[in-house]
Amino acid sequence: MERRFASHPNEVKQFDTERLRKEFHIPVIFAPDELKLVLTHEDRMIVGGANPVTKDVVLTTDLKELGVTYFLERRELGIINVGGKGTVVVDGTEYEVDTKECLYVGQGSKDVIFKSVDAAKPAKFYLNSAPAHQSYPTTKTNLAESESGAMGGMENANERTIHRFIHTNGVQSAQLVMGMTQLKAGSMWNTMPSHTHPRRMEAYFYFDLPEDQAVFHLMGEPTETRHIVMHNEQAVISPSWSIHSGVGTHNYTFIWSMAGDNKRYDDMDAVSIKELQ
C-alpha cells in the first residue's frame, strides 16, 4: 500500500506538474489479479482497486500501517464495480456485484474476497475505505435504488445525473459518503460552479472515458487553481481546502467519495466562477 501525506495550500501552490501528480494523482487503480491501494493522510482515506482475472483477490495489506489485526477492524469499505460481473465474498456470504453496482462493507468484517464471473470480462472493483467508529450492515445497492437527480444543462455543457449510494438517505455508514455522476453526451464539465468543503476530503475516479481522451481536473484554492490531466480509470485526491472540478475532451463518468466530519452531501462552500483564478 502506497502512502501519501497531507499538504498545506501554501505549499501546493508552488508545486510543478511532476510534484502535483506525485502527491495527488493515482495513475494505476487496476492491475490483473492484484489489489492496488493508496493511503492518503487526508482524513486517512484509502483509494484503490481489485481486478481479479485468473484468480481471486483478497483484501489485505501490511496491517502495521493501519495498526490493526485485520483490514476492516477499524474501517469501513465502499465498493463500486466498473468492469464485468463479479462477486464479493464477505465473511462467507457472497454478493453478486454487476457493473455500476455498489456494495458497502461494514466495520468488523474480517474476510473480503473479490472474484470475477468471466475472466474474459473481469470485474473491476473500485474501492474507498475510511476509518469507522461504528459498525453498519453490509448492504448492496444499484443505480435504480439510489437517490438520483439531474443537474446542469446543455447550455453550460454540464448536463449530468448524480447517483448517491452511501449517504444519510441511502446506505448507512460511519463516515464514508460515495456515489457516481454520469455526464450526458455533449457535456464535459463537472461540479461547476465549483465549491470546497473544509470539513471533509474527497476523491474522484474517472472512467467511461475513451482511451484517447482526457479530463482536466481542477484543484487548489479558488484563487490559486492548478490542474491535473486525467485519463481513463485514474483517480485523484482532493484535500478538504481544495476545489474539485473538471472538464473533459469527451463526456465521462466519475465516482466521488468523501470522508470527514459529517455525511451531509450538501455541506459545501460555494465558489462563484468570478472568484476563480
Side-chain angles (χ1 to χ4, degrees):
M1 180 167 61
E2 182 186 351
R3 183 196 299 181
R4 305 281 182 95
F5 291 99
S7 53
H8 193 283
N10 288 344
E11 178 188 16
V12 172
K13 68 183 181 181
Q14 301 177 61
F15 288 179
D16 61 11
T17 299
E18 182 180 3
R19 178 73 186 279
L20 201 67
R21 294 176 70 85
K22 181 180 179 181
E23 299 294 339
F24 302 107
H25 181 233
I26 306 176
V28 180
I29 292 291
F30 301 117
D33 297 326
E34 289 187 26
L35 179 71
K36 304 286 286 186
L37 299 174
V38 173
L39 167 67
T40 171
H41 283 239
E42 302 286 351
D43 289 300
R44 299 288 296 182
M45 174 79 84
I46 292 176
V47 179
N51 182 207
V53 181
T54 63
K55 63 180 182 180
D56 301 345
V57 174
V58 178
L59 180 67
T60 187
T61 189
D62 177 6
L63 296 176
K64 183 180 179 181
E65 183 74 47
L66 302 179
V68 294
T69 58
Y70 59 95
F71 194 97
L72 294 178
E73 182 178 345
R74 299 287 298 167
R75 284 184 165 271
E76 57 190 351
L77 177 68
I79 304 165
I80 296 179
N81 184 9
V82 300
K85 289 184 178 181
T87 301
V88 182
V89 184
V90 181
D91 290 340
T93 301
E94 291 195 0
Y95 299 87
E96 293 184 0
V97 184
D98 206 344
T99 305
K100 294 179 180 173
E101 291 187 335
C102 175
L103 181 70
Y104 169 82
V105 182
Q107 174 198 0
S109 301
K110 289 188 174 181
D111 299 311
V112 181
I113 303 170
F114 303 97
K115 302 182 177 185
S116 288
V117 172
D118 184 358
K121 297 179 180 179
K124 293 181 176 180
F125 298 105
Y126 176 64
L127 313 175
N128 291 132
S129 175
H133 59 274
Q134 183 176 350
S135 180
Y136 288 89
T138 296
T139 306
K140 177 185 168 183
T141 190
N142 56 39
L143 292 173
E145 296 173 347
S146 69
E147 180 181 85
S148 301
M151 291 192 69
M154 286 302 298
E155 67 275 13
N156 293 316
N158 65 358
E159 187 176 11
R160 60 200 190 275
T161 302
I162 298 176
H163 303 277
R164 303 175 186 92
F165 292 138
I166 304 171
H167 66 121
T168 51
N169 297 323
V171 176
Q172 294 301 295
S173 68
Q175 70 159 318
L176 183 65
V177 180
M178 196 171 181
M180 178 188 302
T181 298
Q182 297 174 296
L183 274 70
K184 300 291 182 68
S187 286
M188 297 156 190
W189 279 99
N190 72 69
T191 322
M192 183 59 73
S194 193
H195 62 263
T196 63
H197 31 72
R199 295 151 293 279
R200 57 191 179 181
M201 62 80 68
E202 189 159 4
Y204 271 24
F205 169 75
Y206 292 98
F207 70 111
D208 282 349
L209 182 68
E211 294 298 328
D212 60 346
Q213 303 295 317
V215 173
F216 291 77
H217 178 86
L218 302 180
M219 65 166 296
E221 292 181 293
T223 57
E224 288 283 354
T225 59
R226 300 291 184 271
H227 75 270
I228 298 177
V229 179
M230 310 287 298
H231 294 283
N232 190 46
E233 295 184 351
Q234 295 183 345
V236 64
I237 299 163
S238 179
S240 59
W241 49 264
S242 173
I243 65 167
H244 36 278
S245 187
V247 60
T249 58
H250 190 281
N251 67 302
Y252 50 91
T253 304
F254 66 97
I255 296 169
W256 42 267
S257 57
M258 294 176 276
D261 282 332
N262 63 49
K263 297 187 293 181
R264 286 179 46 206
Y265 177 82
D266 61 352
D267 174 29
M268 59 188 71
D269 297 341
V271 177
S272 72
I273 294 176
K274 288 185 177 181
E275 292 180 71
L276 296 175
Q277 294 182 32

